[in-house]
Amino acid sequence: MLTIEGLNSFGANTAEGLGRCYQNEALYLRLVKMIPAEQNFDKLKNSLEQNDLDTAFEAAHALKGVLGNLSLTPMYEKCSEITELLRARTEMDYAPLLTELLEEKAALDELCAE
């Protein structure tokens, strides 16, 4: 079961995230539980595999906003790094950064599935 304590252990800034949800814990947890199904993770992965930096940027930027608003700090930081590199249209191997982001997502997926 997803809890505030579990999210704190994950590294989320739940006080900040709850503040954005007007201290409504049920709403905050419901929104966090939507992250595992977020389509922009697949969009980002597929776009990077195809070297489509414009589409990858759109996906990363959207994820950055969602993750930032929910204060899912570990994922937000990784996504921010990817977003800024894509904003600058940096030609590089994004696989290591993407792997780190997806590992954080997998950890969150586990928390949401409990």
Side-chain angles (χ1 to χ4, degrees), residues 29-74:
L29 293 176
R30 189 169 66 243
L31 292 172
V32 170
K33 286 180 184 178
M34 295 172 74
I35 296 300
E38 173 57 56
Q39 297 295 312
N40 279 305
F41 287 106
D42 289 335
K43 185 177 176 183
L44 175 60
K45 181 180 182 286
N46 295 335
S47 299
L48 288 174
E49 287 172 352
Q50 297 169 6
N51 201 35
D52 180 353
L53 299 185
D54 291 332
T55 303
F57 171 75
E58 290 172 14
H61 192 261
L63 285 170
K64 179 183 166 189
V66 170
L67 298 170
N69 281 327
L70 293 174
S71 299
L72 298 174
T73 309

Side-chain angles (χ1 to χ4, degrees), residues 51-99:
N51 201 35
D52 180 353
L53 299 185
D54 291 332
T55 303
F57 171 75
E58 290 172 14
H61 192 261
L63 285 170
K64 179 183 166 189
V66 170
L67 298 170
N69 281 327
L70 293 174
S71 299
L72 298 174
T73 309
M75 296 174 73
Y76 172 77
E77 290 173 350
K78 302 276 186 258
C79 197
S80 291
E81 185 176 355
I82 294 169
T83 300
E84 294 314 310
L85 289 165
L86 288 167
R87 184 187 311 277
R89 303 204 37 79
T90 305
E91 293 281 342
M92 62 176 276
D93 180 10
Y94 285 90
L97 292 172
L98 180 63
T99 297

